[in-house]
Amino acid sequence: MEEFDQEKVIEEFEALTKDAERVQRETLKKILEENESAEYLQSLGLNGRTDIESFRACVPLVTHQDLESYIQRIVDGDSSPILTGKPITTISLSSGTTQGKPKFIPFNDELMENTLQIYRTSFAFRNREFPLGNGRALQFFYSSKQFKTKGGLAAGTATTNVFRNSMFKKAMKAIQSISCSPDEVIFGSDFHQSLYCHLLCGLIFRDEVQFISSTFAHSIIFAFSSFEQVWEELCNDIRTGVLSSRINVPSTRTAMSKLLKPNPELADLIYKKCSSLSNWYGLIPELLPNAKYIYGIMTGSMEPYLKKLRHYAGGLPLLSADYGASEGWIGANVNPKLPPELATYAVLPNIGYFEFIPLGENIEDRDHNNMESSFLRMEPKPVGLTEVKLGEEYEVIVTNFAGLYRYRLGDVVKVIGFHNSTPEIKFVCRRNLLLTINIDKNTEKDLQLSVEEAGKLLSEEKLEVVDFSSHVDLSTDPGHYVIFWEISGEASQEVLKECCNCLDKSFVDAGYVSSRKVNSIGALELRVVRRGTFQKILDHYLGLGSAVSQFKTPRCVGPTNNLVLQILCANVVKSYFSTAF
Protein backbone atom coordinates (compact mmCIF):
# COMPACT_ATOMS: atom_id res chain seq x y z
CA MET A 1 0.00 0.00 0.00
CA GLU A 2 1.36 3.41 -1.02
CA GLU A 3 1.96 6.15 1.55
CA PHE A 4 -1.30 7.47 2.97
CA ASP A 5 -2.24 10.73 1.30
CA GLN A 6 -4.89 12.36 3.48
CA GLU A 7 -5.84 15.19 1.14
CA LYS A 8 -6.09 12.83 -1.85
CA VAL A 9 -8.48 10.54 0.09
CA ILE A 10 -10.65 13.53 1.03
CA GLU A 11 -10.62 14.79 -2.59
CA GLU A 12 -11.71 11.35 -3.86
CA PHE A 13 -14.54 11.27 -1.33
CA GLU A 14 -15.66 14.78 -2.35
CA ALA A 15 -15.67 13.74 -6.01
CA LEU A 16 -17.65 10.54 -5.30
CA THR A 17 -20.31 12.36 -3.29
CA LYS A 18 -20.75 15.29 -5.73
CA ASP A 19 -22.70 13.13 -8.16
CA ALA A 20 -23.87 10.26 -5.98
CA GLU A 21 -26.73 9.38 -8.33
CA ARG A 22 -24.38 8.68 -11.26
CA VAL A 23 -21.99 6.74 -9.00
CA GLN A 24 -24.92 4.63 -7.75
CA ARG A 25 -26.01 3.78 -11.32
CA GLU A 26 -22.44 2.82 -12.24
CA THR A 27 -22.00 0.77 -9.07
CA LEU A 28 -25.20 -1.23 -9.70
CA LYS A 29 -24.13 -1.79 -13.33
CA LYS A 30 -20.74 -3.06 -12.16
CA ILE A 31 -22.30 -5.42 -9.56
CA LEU A 32 -24.76 -6.86 -12.11
CA GLU A 33 -22.11 -7.25 -14.85
CA GLU A 34 -19.68 -9.01 -12.53
CA ASN A 35 -22.38 -11.41 -11.35
CA GLU A 36 -24.41 -11.84 -14.54
CA SER A 37 -23.75 -15.60 -14.55
CA ALA A 38 -25.11 -16.09 -11.00
CA GLU A 39 -27.95 -18.62 -10.88
CA TYR A 40 -29.98 -16.37 -8.54
CA LEU A 41 -29.93 -13.39 -10.95
CA GLN A 42 -30.47 -15.60 -14.02
CA SER A 43 -33.61 -17.06 -12.45
CA LEU A 44 -35.11 -13.57 -12.07
CA GLY A 45 -35.05 -12.82 -15.81
CA LEU A 46 -32.77 -9.77 -15.86
CA ASN A 47 -31.23 -11.12 -19.10
CA GLY A 48 -28.12 -8.99 -18.81
CA ARG A 49 -29.93 -5.70 -18.15
CA THR A 50 -28.17 -3.49 -15.61
CA ASP A 51 -30.40 -0.42 -15.40
CA ILE A 52 -32.08 0.53 -12.10
CA GLU A 53 -35.65 0.23 -13.44
CA SER A 54 -35.21 -3.36 -14.69
CA PHE A 55 -33.35 -4.28 -11.49
CA ARG A 56 -36.17 -3.04 -9.27
CA ALA A 57 -38.83 -4.63 -11.47
CA CYS A 58 -37.21 -8.10 -11.59
CA VAL A 59 -35.41 -8.49 -8.24
CA PRO A 60 -37.54 -8.84 -5.09
CA LEU A 61 -36.74 -7.39 -1.66
CA VAL A 62 -35.36 -10.22 0.49
CA THR A 63 -34.38 -11.06 4.06
CA HIS A 64 -31.62 -13.44 5.08
CA GLN A 65 -34.20 -16.21 5.37
CA ASP A 66 -35.02 -15.95 1.65
CA LEU A 67 -31.36 -16.53 0.74
CA GLU A 68 -30.56 -19.18 3.32
CA SER A 69 -30.89 -22.16 0.95
CA TYR A 70 -28.54 -20.50 -1.60
CA ILE A 71 -25.98 -19.59 1.08
CA GLN A 72 -26.16 -23.09 2.58
CA ARG A 73 -25.17 -24.61 -0.79
CA ILE A 74 -22.14 -22.25 -0.93
CA VAL A 75 -21.19 -23.17 2.66
CA ASP A 76 -21.48 -26.86 1.74
CA GLY A 77 -18.97 -26.47 -1.07
CA ASP A 78 -21.00 -25.93 -4.27
CA SER A 79 -18.64 -23.67 -6.25
CA SER A 80 -20.92 -23.05 -9.24
CA PRO A 81 -22.01 -19.40 -9.67
CA ILE A 82 -24.94 -19.33 -7.20
CA LEU A 83 -25.15 -15.77 -5.85
CA THR A 84 -21.95 -14.39 -7.43
CA GLY A 85 -20.06 -14.88 -10.68
CA LYS A 86 -16.77 -15.75 -8.92
CA PRO A 87 -16.87 -18.45 -6.24
CA ILE A 88 -17.18 -17.27 -2.62
CA THR A 89 -14.28 -18.61 -0.54
CA THR A 90 -15.00 -16.97 2.84
CA ILE A 91 -18.10 -16.80 5.01
CA SER A 92 -18.79 -14.20 7.71
CA LEU A 93 -20.83 -14.98 10.79
CA SER A 94 -23.05 -12.22 12.16
CA SER A 95 -22.77 -11.62 15.91
CA GLY A 96 -25.87 -13.74 16.53
CA THR A 97 -26.97 -11.55 19.41
CA THR A 98 -30.13 -10.37 17.65
CA GLN A 99 -31.62 -13.69 16.58
CA GLY A 100 -29.89 -15.99 19.06
CA LYS A 101 -27.90 -17.77 16.35
CA PRO A 102 -25.29 -16.40 13.93
CA LYS A 103 -26.21 -15.97 10.26
CA PHE A 104 -23.86 -17.06 7.45
CA ILE A 105 -23.04 -14.17 5.10
CA PRO A 106 -20.81 -14.32 1.97
CA PHE A 107 -17.53 -12.35 2.22
CA ASN A 108 -15.07 -11.60 -0.61
CA ASP A 109 -12.17 -9.37 -1.71
CA GLU A 110 -14.54 -6.60 -2.82
CA LEU A 111 -16.03 -6.37 0.68
CA MET A 112 -12.51 -6.26 2.11
CA GLU A 113 -11.65 -3.40 -0.24
CA ASN A 114 -14.85 -1.57 0.84
CA THR A 115 -13.76 -2.01 4.47
CA LEU A 116 -10.37 -0.44 3.77
CA GLN A 117 -11.99 2.40 1.81
CA ILE A 118 -14.24 3.19 4.80
CA TYR A 119 -11.25 3.04 7.17
CA ARG A 120 -9.18 5.34 4.98
CA THR A 121 -12.02 7.83 4.45
CA SER A 122 -12.96 8.24 8.09
CA PHE A 123 -9.29 8.30 9.13
CA ALA A 124 -8.58 11.16 6.72
CA PHE A 125 -11.36 13.30 8.20
CA ARG A 126 -10.50 12.24 11.77
CA ASN A 127 -6.82 12.98 11.31
CA ARG A 128 -7.56 16.41 9.93
CA GLU A 129 -9.31 17.31 13.22
CA PHE A 130 -7.20 15.22 15.62
CA PRO A 131 -3.77 14.71 14.02
CA LEU A 132 -1.82 11.70 15.33
CA GLY A 133 1.91 11.72 15.98
CA ASN A 134 4.09 8.69 15.34
CA GLY A 135 3.20 6.03 17.82
CA ARG A 136 0.89 3.14 18.48
CA ALA A 137 -2.75 2.38 19.14
CA LEU A 138 -4.09 0.49 22.15
CA GLN A 139 -6.61 -1.63 20.27
CA PHE A 140 -8.81 -4.06 22.15
CA PHE A 141 -9.09 -6.36 19.14
CA TYR A 142 -9.86 -10.04 19.58
CA SER A 143 -10.00 -12.40 16.68
CA SER A 144 -11.87 -15.64 17.14
CA LYS A 145 -10.65 -18.63 15.13
CA GLN A 146 -11.56 -19.10 11.52
CA PHE A 147 -12.87 -22.60 10.91
CA LYS A 148 -13.54 -24.58 7.75
CA THR A 149 -17.14 -25.24 6.71
CA LYS A 150 -18.26 -28.66 5.46
CA GLY A 151 -17.46 -27.44 1.95
CA GLY A 152 -13.98 -26.22 2.89
CA LEU A 153 -14.68 -22.46 3.02
CA ALA A 154 -12.97 -20.31 5.66
CA ALA A 155 -15.58 -19.02 8.12
CA GLY A 156 -15.29 -16.57 10.99
CA THR A 157 -16.91 -13.45 12.37
CA ALA A 158 -16.81 -10.45 10.03
CA THR A 159 -14.17 -8.79 12.23
CA THR A 160 -12.05 -11.96 12.24
CA ASN A 161 -12.17 -12.14 8.43
CA VAL A 162 -10.97 -8.53 8.26
CA PHE A 163 -8.23 -8.87 10.93
CA ARG A 164 -6.87 -12.04 9.34
CA ASN A 165 -6.76 -10.58 5.84
CA SER A 166 -3.24 -9.87 4.56
CA MET A 167 -4.29 -6.36 3.46
CA PHE A 168 -5.41 -5.36 6.98
CA LYS A 169 -2.02 -4.92 8.60
CA LYS A 170 -0.60 -2.90 5.70
CA ALA A 171 -3.65 -0.64 5.75
CA MET A 172 -3.41 -0.13 9.53
CA LYS A 173 0.24 0.83 9.16
CA ALA A 174 -0.60 3.37 6.46
CA ILE A 175 -3.21 5.04 8.70
CA GLN A 176 -0.90 5.18 11.75
CA SER A 177 -2.85 2.50 13.61
CA ILE A 178 -0.18 -0.01 14.60
CA SER A 179 -1.31 -2.01 17.60
CA CYS A 180 0.72 -2.09 20.83
CA SER A 181 -0.09 -5.77 21.11
CA PRO A 182 1.61 -8.55 19.15
CA ASP A 183 -0.49 -10.77 16.84
CA GLU A 184 -0.26 -13.60 19.36
CA VAL A 185 -2.41 -11.50 21.71
CA ILE A 186 -4.98 -10.42 19.09
CA PHE A 187 -5.26 -13.98 17.77
CA GLY A 188 -4.89 -15.62 21.20
CA SER A 189 -7.23 -18.49 21.97
CA ASP A 190 -8.29 -17.23 25.42
CA PHE A 191 -10.13 -13.91 25.49
CA HIS A 192 -9.48 -13.15 29.18
CA GLN A 193 -5.74 -13.73 28.75
CA SER A 194 -5.66 -11.56 25.60
CA LEU A 195 -7.45 -8.76 27.45
CA TYR A 196 -4.89 -8.85 30.29
CA CYS A 197 -2.05 -8.72 27.74
CA HIS A 198 -3.63 -5.81 25.81
CA LEU A 199 -3.71 -3.83 29.08
CA LEU A 200 -0.10 -4.78 29.83
CA CYS A 201 1.05 -3.74 26.33
CA GLY A 202 -0.77 -0.42 26.73
CA LEU A 203 1.17 0.24 29.95
CA ILE A 204 4.53 -0.85 28.50
CA PHE A 205 4.06 1.53 25.54
CA ARG A 206 2.10 4.14 27.53
CA ASP A 207 4.03 7.15 26.20
CA GLU A 208 3.59 6.03 22.59
CA VAL A 209 -0.16 5.34 22.66
CA GLN A 210 -1.92 7.87 20.38
CA PHE A 211 -5.48 6.55 20.69
CA ILE A 212 -7.56 3.74 22.22
CA SER A 213 -9.99 1.75 20.11
CA SER A 214 -12.13 -1.33 19.76
CA THR A 215 -14.86 -2.42 17.37
CA PHE A 216 -17.56 -1.59 19.95
CA ALA A 217 -17.51 0.78 22.94
CA HIS A 218 -18.58 -2.12 25.17
CA SER A 219 -15.15 -3.79 24.78
CA ILE A 220 -13.34 -0.63 25.92
CA ILE A 221 -15.45 -0.36 29.09
CA PHE A 222 -15.05 -4.06 29.72
CA ALA A 223 -11.27 -3.70 29.43
CA PHE A 224 -11.00 -0.84 31.92
CA SER A 225 -13.45 -2.35 34.40
CA SER A 226 -11.22 -5.46 34.24
CA PHE A 227 -8.23 -3.17 34.82
CA GLU A 228 -9.81 -2.13 38.15
CA GLN A 229 -9.56 -5.77 39.24
CA VAL A 230 -6.03 -6.59 38.00
CA TRP A 231 -4.05 -3.31 38.13
CA GLU A 232 -1.86 -4.39 41.05
CA GLU A 233 -1.01 -7.63 39.29
CA LEU A 234 -0.09 -5.67 36.13
CA CYS A 235 2.17 -3.38 38.19
CA ASN A 236 3.83 -6.45 39.66
CA ASP A 237 4.52 -7.91 36.19
CA ILE A 238 6.13 -4.61 35.12
CA ARG A 239 8.13 -4.29 38.35
CA THR A 240 9.61 -7.82 38.17
CA GLY A 241 9.64 -8.30 34.38
CA VAL A 242 7.90 -11.66 34.92
CA LEU A 243 4.53 -12.34 33.30
CA SER A 244 1.63 -13.35 35.57
CA SER A 245 0.97 -17.09 35.80
CA ARG A 246 -2.58 -16.42 34.59
CA ILE A 247 -1.16 -16.27 31.04
CA ASN A 248 -0.70 -19.92 30.05
CA VAL A 249 -1.43 -19.95 26.29
CA PRO A 250 2.11 -20.80 25.07
CA SER A 251 2.24 -18.53 21.98
CA THR A 252 0.79 -15.57 23.92
CA ARG A 253 3.17 -16.13 26.83
CA THR A 254 6.24 -16.33 24.55
CA ALA A 255 5.34 -13.13 22.66
CA MET A 256 4.63 -11.18 25.86
CA SER A 257 7.79 -12.38 27.62
CA LYS A 258 9.84 -10.84 24.79
CA LEU A 259 8.22 -7.44 25.44
CA LEU A 260 8.31 -7.45 29.22
CA LYS A 261 11.44 -6.17 30.96
CA PRO A 262 11.77 -5.23 34.67
CA ASN A 263 10.83 -1.55 35.04
CA PRO A 264 10.30 -0.60 38.72
CA GLU A 265 10.03 3.15 37.91
CA LEU A 266 7.11 2.55 35.53
CA ALA A 267 5.45 0.19 38.01
CA ASP A 268 5.72 2.81 40.79
CA LEU A 269 4.37 5.55 38.53
CA ILE A 270 1.31 3.50 37.53
CA TYR A 271 0.77 2.40 41.14
CA LYS A 272 0.83 6.02 42.29
CA LYS A 273 -1.53 7.20 39.55
CA CYS A 274 -4.07 4.44 40.24
CA SER A 275 -3.94 5.02 44.00
CA SER A 276 -4.66 8.72 43.61
CA LEU A 277 -7.73 8.41 41.36
CA SER A 278 -11.19 9.03 42.78
CA ASN A 279 -13.53 6.20 41.75
CA TRP A 280 -11.34 5.66 38.63
CA TYR A 281 -12.53 8.92 37.05
CA GLY A 282 -10.20 9.93 34.19
CA LEU A 283 -8.32 6.61 34.32
CA ILE A 284 -7.52 6.51 30.59
CA PRO A 285 -5.65 9.86 30.25
CA GLU A 286 -3.80 9.16 33.53
CA LEU A 287 -2.51 5.84 32.18
CA LEU A 288 -1.97 7.01 28.59
CA PRO A 289 -0.92 10.68 28.72
CA ASN A 290 -0.43 11.18 24.95
CA ALA A 291 -3.72 9.65 23.78
CA LYS A 292 -5.71 12.02 21.56
CA TYR A 293 -9.10 10.24 21.55
CA ILE A 294 -11.09 7.04 22.08
CA TYR A 295 -12.51 5.42 18.96
CA GLY A 296 -15.11 2.70 18.37
CA ILE A 297 -18.76 2.16 17.43
CA MET A 298 -20.67 4.13 20.06
CA THR A 299 -24.13 4.50 18.53
CA GLY A 300 -27.21 2.28 18.59
CA SER A 301 -27.04 -0.43 21.23
CA MET A 302 -23.72 1.04 22.47
CA GLU A 303 -25.23 4.37 23.56
CA PRO A 304 -26.12 3.18 27.08
CA TYR A 305 -22.39 2.65 27.77
CA LEU A 306 -21.34 6.22 26.97
CA LYS A 307 -21.79 7.54 30.51
CA LYS A 308 -19.38 4.94 31.90
CA LEU A 309 -16.96 5.47 29.01
CA ARG A 310 -16.90 9.24 29.67
CA HIS A 311 -16.15 8.48 33.33
CA TYR A 312 -13.00 6.57 32.34
CA ALA A 313 -12.14 9.03 29.54
CA GLY A 314 -12.11 12.17 31.68
CA GLY A 315 -11.89 14.90 29.06
CA LEU A 316 -10.66 12.74 26.16
CA PRO A 317 -12.90 13.06 23.07
CA LEU A 318 -15.06 10.05 22.15
CA LEU A 319 -15.17 9.49 18.39
CA SER A 320 -17.75 7.15 16.95
CA ALA A 321 -16.54 4.73 14.27
CA ASP A 322 -18.24 4.00 10.96
CA TYR A 323 -21.59 2.42 10.15
CA GLY A 324 -21.91 -1.07 8.75
CA ALA A 325 -23.05 -4.60 9.49
CA SER A 326 -21.73 -8.10 8.89
CA GLU A 327 -23.39 -7.76 5.47
CA GLY A 328 -21.13 -4.87 4.53
CA TRP A 329 -20.38 -1.20 5.10
CA ILE A 330 -22.71 1.73 4.51
CA GLY A 331 -21.20 5.00 5.65
CA ALA A 332 -18.19 6.76 7.14
CA ASN A 333 -18.12 9.26 9.99
CA VAL A 334 -16.81 12.40 8.27
CA ASN A 335 -17.83 14.75 11.11
CA PRO A 336 -15.63 13.35 13.87
CA LYS A 337 -16.04 16.35 16.17
CA LEU A 338 -19.71 15.57 16.83
CA PRO A 339 -20.36 13.71 20.11
CA PRO A 340 -21.43 10.05 19.61
CA GLU A 341 -25.09 10.86 20.42
CA LEU A 342 -25.16 13.11 17.34
CA ALA A 343 -22.87 11.02 15.09
CA THR A 344 -23.86 10.80 11.44
CA TYR A 345 -22.54 8.66 8.60
CA ALA A 346 -22.08 9.79 5.01
CA VAL A 347 -23.06 6.94 2.68
CA LEU A 348 -20.25 5.99 0.26
CA PRO A 349 -22.03 5.68 -3.10
CA ASN A 350 -19.51 3.27 -4.68
CA ILE A 351 -19.44 0.46 -2.08
CA GLY A 352 -22.89 -0.91 -2.86
CA TYR A 353 -26.26 0.04 -4.32
CA PHE A 354 -28.55 1.45 -1.63
CA GLU A 355 -32.31 1.83 -1.38
CA PHE A 356 -34.48 3.08 1.46
CA ILE A 357 -38.03 2.13 2.46
CA PRO A 358 -39.81 5.20 3.88
CA LEU A 359 -41.17 4.50 7.35
CA GLY A 360 -44.09 6.89 7.50
CA GLU A 361 -47.04 6.77 9.87
CA ASN A 362 -48.54 3.86 7.90
CA ILE A 363 -46.02 1.48 9.48
CA GLU A 364 -47.08 2.60 12.94
CA ASP A 365 -50.80 2.54 12.24
CA ARG A 366 -51.23 -0.70 10.36
CA ASP A 367 -53.67 -3.31 11.61
CA HIS A 368 -51.66 -5.56 13.88
CA ASN A 369 -53.77 -8.71 13.56
CA ASN A 370 -53.41 -8.72 9.83
CA MET A 371 -49.71 -8.01 10.08
CA GLU A 372 -48.28 -10.32 7.40
CA SER A 373 -50.59 -9.55 4.51
CA SER A 374 -50.86 -5.83 5.22
CA PHE A 375 -47.09 -5.70 5.54
CA LEU A 376 -46.57 -6.25 1.83
CA ARG A 377 -49.63 -4.35 0.67
CA MET A 378 -49.01 -1.18 2.62
CA GLU A 379 -45.29 -0.94 2.40
CA PRO A 380 -44.17 2.13 0.44
CA LYS A 381 -41.86 1.66 -2.55
CA PRO A 382 -38.14 1.99 -1.77
CA VAL A 383 -36.43 5.18 -2.95
CA GLY A 384 -32.84 5.66 -4.16
CA LEU A 385 -29.89 7.09 -2.24
CA THR A 386 -30.31 10.62 -3.58
CA GLU A 387 -34.13 10.59 -3.28
CA VAL A 388 -34.28 10.42 0.52
CA LYS A 389 -35.76 13.42 2.36
CA LEU A 390 -34.28 15.37 5.25
CA GLY A 391 -35.68 14.40 8.66
CA GLU A 392 -37.38 11.20 7.41
CA GLU A 393 -36.77 7.67 8.74
CA TYR A 394 -36.09 4.71 6.44
CA GLU A 395 -35.27 1.02 6.49
CA VAL A 396 -31.97 0.30 4.68
CA ILE A 397 -31.85 -2.02 1.64
CA VAL A 398 -28.41 -3.15 0.46
CA THR A 399 -27.13 -4.62 -2.81
CA ASN A 400 -23.45 -5.50 -2.44
CA PHE A 401 -20.55 -7.08 -4.35
CA ALA A 402 -20.84 -10.39 -2.46
CA GLY A 403 -24.19 -11.79 -3.59
CA LEU A 404 -26.78 -9.84 -1.61
CA TYR A 405 -29.37 -8.18 -3.86
CA ARG A 406 -32.03 -5.83 -2.42
CA TYR A 407 -31.31 -7.24 1.01
CA ARG A 408 -33.27 -5.84 3.96
CA LEU A 409 -30.71 -4.95 6.58
CA GLY A 410 -33.36 -4.46 9.28
CA ASP A 411 -31.80 -1.15 10.40
CA VAL A 412 -33.83 2.04 10.75
CA VAL A 413 -31.92 5.26 9.95
CA LYS A 414 -32.84 8.93 9.91
CA VAL A 415 -31.59 11.45 7.31
CA ILE A 416 -29.87 14.27 9.23
CA GLY A 417 -28.26 16.14 6.34
CA PHE A 418 -26.32 15.78 3.08
CA HIS A 419 -22.63 15.78 2.23
CA ASN A 420 -22.69 17.13 -1.32
CA SER A 421 -25.39 14.86 -2.80
CA THR A 422 -25.03 11.81 -0.53
CA PRO A 423 -27.15 11.60 2.63
CA GLU A 424 -25.69 11.76 6.14
CA ILE A 425 -27.69 9.30 8.21
CA LYS A 426 -28.06 8.54 11.90
CA PHE A 427 -28.68 5.01 13.16
CA VAL A 428 -32.03 4.87 15.01
CA CYS A 429 -32.65 1.22 15.90
CA ARG A 430 -33.06 -2.34 14.63
CA ARG A 431 -36.49 -2.61 13.06
CA ASN A 432 -37.20 -6.13 14.29
CA LEU A 433 -36.22 -5.63 17.94
CA LEU A 434 -39.73 -4.88 19.09
CA LEU A 435 -41.27 -5.37 22.47
CA THR A 436 -44.83 -6.13 21.45
CA ILE A 437 -47.78 -8.01 22.97
CA ASN A 438 -50.79 -6.72 21.02
CA ILE A 439 -51.05 -3.18 19.58
CA ASP A 440 -47.96 -1.93 21.43
CA LYS A 441 -44.74 -1.39 19.52
CA ASN A 442 -41.57 -0.46 21.41
CA THR A 443 -38.16 -0.45 19.75
CA GLU A 444 -34.71 -0.85 21.23
CA LYS A 445 -34.53 2.95 21.33
CA ASP A 446 -37.75 3.16 23.38
CA LEU A 447 -36.35 0.60 25.82
CA GLN A 448 -33.09 2.55 26.07
CA LEU A 449 -34.91 5.83 26.81
CA SER A 450 -37.04 4.16 29.46
CA VAL A 451 -33.96 2.64 31.16
CA GLU A 452 -32.17 6.01 31.03
CA GLU A 453 -35.13 7.75 32.66
CA ALA A 454 -35.42 5.20 35.48
CA GLY A 455 -31.61 5.11 35.84
CA LYS A 456 -31.70 8.76 36.98
CA LEU A 457 -33.38 7.61 40.20
CA LEU A 458 -30.46 5.24 40.81
CA SER A 459 -27.82 7.89 40.18
CA GLU A 460 -29.26 9.92 43.09
CA GLU A 461 -28.16 6.93 45.21
CA LYS A 462 -24.68 6.97 43.54
CA LEU A 463 -25.58 3.74 41.71
CA GLU A 464 -25.87 2.94 38.01
CA VAL A 465 -27.33 0.36 35.64
CA VAL A 466 -24.34 -1.74 34.53
CA ASP A 467 -26.31 -3.50 31.78
CA PHE A 468 -29.88 -4.39 30.85
CA SER A 469 -32.09 -6.56 28.69
CA SER A 470 -35.79 -7.24 28.22
CA HIS A 471 -38.27 -10.00 27.46
CA VAL A 472 -41.97 -10.28 26.67
CA ASP A 473 -43.49 -12.76 29.14
CA LEU A 474 -46.56 -14.35 27.60
CA SER A 475 -46.76 -17.11 30.23
CA THR A 476 -48.92 -14.75 32.31
CA ASP A 477 -52.39 -13.58 31.27
CA PRO A 478 -52.28 -10.82 30.18
CA GLY A 479 -48.67 -10.83 28.96
CA HIS A 480 -46.25 -8.25 30.36
CA TYR A 481 -42.82 -6.71 29.79
CA VAL A 482 -39.90 -7.93 31.90
CA ILE A 483 -36.83 -5.69 32.25
CA PHE A 484 -33.61 -7.23 33.58
CA TRP A 485 -31.15 -4.90 35.35
CA GLU A 486 -27.67 -5.47 36.68
CA ILE A 487 -26.84 -2.67 39.15
CA SER A 488 -23.45 -1.46 40.39
CA GLY A 489 -24.37 -1.91 44.09
CA GLU A 490 -27.22 -2.44 46.57
CA ALA A 491 -30.31 -0.29 46.04
CA SER A 492 -33.14 0.03 48.57
CA GLN A 493 -36.58 -1.55 48.03
CA GLU A 494 -38.19 1.91 47.82
CA VAL A 495 -35.84 3.11 45.08
CA LEU A 496 -36.25 -0.08 43.03
CA LYS A 497 -40.05 0.12 43.29
CA GLU A 498 -39.86 3.72 42.04
CA CYS A 499 -37.54 2.61 39.22
CA CYS A 500 -40.02 -0.10 38.23
CA ASN A 501 -42.91 2.41 38.04
CA CYS A 502 -40.72 4.86 36.17
CA LEU A 503 -39.78 2.21 33.57
CA ASP A 504 -43.47 1.44 33.03
CA LYS A 505 -44.46 5.10 32.66
CA SER A 506 -41.53 5.90 30.36
CA PHE A 507 -42.85 3.69 27.53
CA VAL A 508 -44.90 6.39 25.81
CA ASP A 509 -46.04 4.36 22.77
CA ALA A 510 -49.81 5.00 22.50
CA GLY A 511 -50.62 1.32 21.98
CA TYR A 512 -48.72 0.42 25.16
CA VAL A 513 -50.24 3.14 27.34
CA SER A 514 -53.82 2.39 26.25
CA SER A 515 -53.30 -1.37 26.71
CA ARG A 516 -51.86 -0.84 30.20
CA LYS A 517 -54.83 1.34 31.16
CA VAL A 518 -57.34 -1.38 30.27
CA ASN A 519 -55.02 -4.13 31.55
CA SER A 520 -54.71 -5.93 28.21
CA ILE A 521 -50.98 -5.71 29.01
CA GLY A 522 -50.01 -6.61 32.58
CA ALA A 523 -47.85 -4.64 35.01
CA LEU A 524 -44.22 -4.24 33.95
CA GLU A 525 -41.81 -6.37 35.97
CA LEU A 526 -38.30 -5.27 36.95
CA ARG A 527 -35.97 -8.17 37.74
CA VAL A 528 -32.64 -7.31 39.33
CA VAL A 529 -29.91 -9.86 38.51
CA ARG A 530 -26.73 -10.52 40.47
CA ARG A 531 -23.43 -8.87 39.55
CA GLY A 532 -21.62 -10.69 36.76
CA THR A 533 -24.78 -12.00 35.04
CA PHE A 534 -24.12 -10.11 31.79
CA GLN A 535 -20.53 -11.38 31.91
CA LYS A 536 -22.03 -14.92 31.91
CA ILE A 537 -24.02 -13.99 28.78
CA LEU A 538 -20.80 -12.77 27.12
CA ASP A 539 -19.08 -16.04 28.10
CA HIS A 540 -22.03 -17.98 26.66
CA TYR A 541 -21.55 -16.27 23.26
CA LEU A 542 -17.78 -16.76 23.40
CA GLY A 543 -18.46 -20.46 23.98
CA LEU A 544 -20.50 -20.48 20.76
CA GLY A 545 -17.51 -19.03 18.88
CA SER A 546 -18.53 -15.37 18.79
CA ALA A 547 -15.77 -12.77 18.84
CA VAL A 548 -15.78 -10.34 21.75
CA SER A 549 -15.18 -7.53 19.30
CA GLN A 550 -18.61 -8.25 17.77
CA PHE A 551 -20.48 -8.81 21.02
CA LYS A 552 -23.61 -6.74 21.58
CA THR A 553 -25.72 -7.38 24.68
CA PRO A 554 -29.08 -8.73 23.43
CA ARG A 555 -31.49 -5.96 24.41
CA CYS A 556 -34.59 -8.02 23.79
CA VAL A 557 -34.44 -11.75 24.46
CA GLY A 558 -36.95 -13.58 22.28
CA PRO A 559 -38.12 -17.19 22.31
CA THR A 560 -35.31 -18.25 19.95
CA ASN A 561 -32.79 -17.12 22.54
CA ASN A 562 -33.75 -19.57 25.25
CA LEU A 563 -30.29 -20.14 26.75
CA VAL A 564 -29.74 -16.42 27.37
CA LEU A 565 -33.18 -16.20 28.99
CA GLN A 566 -32.23 -19.14 31.25
CA ILE A 567 -29.01 -17.36 32.33
CA LEU A 568 -30.97 -14.18 33.15
CA CYS A 569 -33.78 -15.97 35.03
CA ALA A 570 -31.37 -18.15 37.00
CA ASN A 571 -29.60 -15.05 38.37
CA VAL A 572 -32.59 -12.96 39.49
CA VAL A 573 -32.17 -11.74 43.09
CA LYS A 574 -35.13 -9.34 43.36
CA SER A 575 -38.32 -8.78 41.41
CA TYR A 576 -40.78 -5.86 41.44
CA PHE A 577 -44.10 -5.24 39.67
CA SER A 578 -45.15 -1.75 38.59
CA THR A 579 -48.07 -0.02 40.28
CA ALA A 580 -47.94 2.91 37.81
CA PHE A 581 -51.31 2.22 36.16
Side-chain angles (χ1 to χ4, degrees), residues 518-556:
V518 299
N519 203 35
S520 60
I521 294 177
L524 180 140
E525 184 183 358
L526 170 62
R527 295 184 192 170
V528 179
V529 296
R530 58 176 63 91
R531 289 302 303 268
T533 298
F534 283 87
Q535 168 65 37
K536 286 179 183 161
I537 291 172
L538 170 62
D539 289 338
H540 162 73
Y541 281 109
L542 294 184
L544 297 177
S546 283
V548 171
S549 46
Q550 265 186 293
F551 177 73
K552 300 193 282 279
T553 298
R555 293 290 178 221
C556 181

Side-chain angles (χ1 to χ4, degrees), residues 90-93 107 112 142-147 155-165 168 186-187 215 545-550:
T90 309
I91 291 287
S92 287
L93 301 171
F107 181 86
M112 186 66 205
Y142 309 94
S143 171
S144 55
K145 280 197 178 70
Q146 276 182 321
F147 61 91
T157 59
T159 42
T160 295
N161 291 337
V162 170
F163 297 158
R164 287 187 179 269
N165 190 293
F168 177 73
I186 297 170
F187 297 107
T215 310
S546 283
V548 171
S549 46
Q550 265 186 293

